[in-house]
Amino acid sequence: MSTQELIRQLRESNKSKIVLLVADGLGGLPIEPGGKTELETAVTPNLDAFAAEGTVGLSTPVAPGITPGSGPGHLGLFGYDPLVHDIGRGVLEALGIGVEVGPKDVAIRGNFCTIDAEGRVTDRRAGRIPTETCEALVAKLQAGVKIEGVEVLVEPVREYRLVVRFRGEGLGDQVCDTDPLTTGLHTLEPKGADADSEKTAKIAAEFLRQAKAILKDERPANFLMLRGFAKFPKIDTMEEVYGLKSVAIAVYPMYRGLARLVGMTVVEPGKTLADQIEVAKANWDAYDFFFIHYKYTDSTGEDGDFVRKVAMIEAFDAEVRKLRALAPDVLIVTGDHSTPSRMRAHSFHPVPTLIWAPATSRPDLVTTFGERPCLQGGLGQFLAKDLMPLAMAHAGRLQKFGA
């Protein structure tokens, strides 16, 4: 019996509220050996207070030593085993901007790029064109690309990113990305791993051929690359598994898409974490589970900016105190993965995690929130997929197992 099957048997309803507050890429590393991480360096009186009153530990997003993408990282936090539920990035991106993905569809992430006269990629992100430019270019593609027997939809995301959806009979999603992952090389030809996927690959090749002709006089976005070909997976919703009416308050499209994937209601979040907490307050009576996402601890880590990541953690901490006024029964603060500024990328390191549940917490001896304190915490080191059962238990939503 899986953990989710067990929870279906044991779950019960009440009026408790659970908040999952995700600081994307929260975990870090010292710049110098023996130094402090970004989280340990930051002044975080509010997180420290929650840690002192609650219980802390370190969560492993997928498995020890495995570096997760954002999709697997969040699925684990929602209680879905990332090794069982492998969700394609194209579907996540499409759902994130409200594009429907049905059983006949393949969704794909697109990146506008710059190529030279010989077709070699000189900029994989087309100079990070503004969203307004992306929207204008997508409109040209939507109007201009025609492929017999296939319905093609092209939608802008933001900056250089877009979504492409192919709708037709017998399409597969085992198609290689066309991004060469470095400049100075030609884009790759789409190739399918099976007959259905090869059909999709041929459609993708024709789409790219037409797109190149449409974009040839544009600068800097004169071509695009396709990544993350994906069909919609069958996955049970949060309400089906946990009996929770859930809401997502996330700014970035991908995280809104992840939330939709597991059946959360997605609401308009505003622009800042302060706005997001106000949205949670406004919706407090309507939902049981609140997923709130904060991006900037991740983006500053990927930029390799230790000082800026510290500042983003401190800004995060300043808003966290407002959650006390909402009086959730359970507050979880964690990340979907670590993004050390020293590495400028996601990493395999376990993520600092705290559970604050005033009625049921068994406090440990930890009084600050950081990687080393969490290593000493009462939660120990655990898989992220085990966080939801703990949240349900602290919320009084699980019956006793067995006689």
Side-chain angles (χ1 to χ4, degrees), residues 18-68:
I18 301 170
V19 175
L20 172 64
L21 181 58
V22 178
D24 203 301
L26 177 63
L29 289 172
I31 291 294
E32 299 294 337
K36 293 182 177 181
T37 69
E38 298 94 330
L39 180 57
E40 292 167 347
T41 300
V43 178
T44 56
N46 298 297
L47 289 169
D48 293 346
F50 280 123
E53 297 168 20
T55 314
V56 303
L58 292 167
S59 65
T60 297
V62 177
I66 303 302
T67 298

Side-chain angles (χ1 to χ4, degrees), residues 360-382:
T360 54
S361 282
R362 179 187 287 169
D364 47 35
L365 298 177
V366 175
T367 58
T368 58
F369 192 48
E371 285 82 353
R372 271 168 281 207
C374 285
L375 188 59
Q376 308 301 318
L379 294 177
Q381 296 194 49
F382 59 95

Side-chain angles (χ1 to χ4, degrees), residues 117-293:
E118 284 73 42
R120 295 184 179 87
V121 177
T122 59
D123 188 331
R124 293 175 56 243
R125 297 177 179 86
R128 294 186 182 272
I129 55 175
T131 300
E132 294 78 11
T133 302
C134 175
E135 291 170 346
L137 295 176
V138 162
K140 286 188 174 185
L141 293 173
Q142 183 62 58
V145 174
K146 306 295 179 186
I147 302 176
E148 185 176 353
V150 180
E151 180 186 320
V152 178
L153 177 71
V154 192
E155 289 285 345
V157 179
R158 59 189 297 166
E159 296 179 334
Y160 57 91
R161 298 189 297 276
L162 63 148
V163 163
V164 179
R165 187 191 70 192
F166 299 143
R167 175 170 288 174
E169 297 292 339
L171 301 183
D173 62 358
Q174 300 302 300
V175 180
C176 69
D177 295 349
T178 70
D179 183 353
L181 299 178
T182 188
T183 56
L185 299 177
H186 290 89
T187 58
L188 306 177
E189 288 295 318
K191 295 185 182 299
D194 52 48
D196 287 350
S197 300
E198 186 57 29
K199 180 177 180 180
T200 305
K202 289 178 180 177
I203 293 167
E206 176 60 19
F207 175 86
L208 290 169
R209 185 190 69 78
Q210 294 186 35
K212 181 180 283 188
I214 292 168
L215 298 172
K216 62 183 176 64
D217 295 325
E218 302 289 342
R219 292 293 183 275
N222 61 347
F223 197 38
L224 70 147
M225 303 178 293
L226 300 179
R227 306 164 60 194
F229 290 73
K231 293 180 72 70
F232 193 89
K234 176 64 178 78
I235 187 168
D236 294 334
T237 68
M238 294 281 285
E239 191 158 6
E240 289 170 336
V241 176
Y242 301 106
L244 295 171
K245 192 173 182 182
S246 305
V247 63
I249 310 170
V251 175
Y252 277 68
M254 181 180 175
Y255 311 102
R256 295 162 67 87
L258 280 161
R260 284 196 180 96
L261 183 69
V262 297
M264 293 188 201
T265 299
V266 176
V267 295
E268 286 304 314
K271 295 182 179 179
T272 67
L273 184 56
D275 293 338
Q276 290 170 270
I277 293 173
E278 284 300 312
V279 171
K281 181 179 179 180
N283 287 275
W284 195 246
D285 293 336
Y287 297 96
D288 308 310
F289 181 90
F290 298 78
F291 161 51
I292 304 174
H293 180 268

Side-chain angles (χ1 to χ4, degrees), residues 1 25 44 115 162-163 188 203 215 300 303 331 386 394:
M1 181 188 300
T44 56
I115 58 174
L162 63 148
V163 163
L188 306 177
I203 293 167
L215 298 172
T300 49
D303 288 343
L331 169 65
D386 294 328
H394 279 290

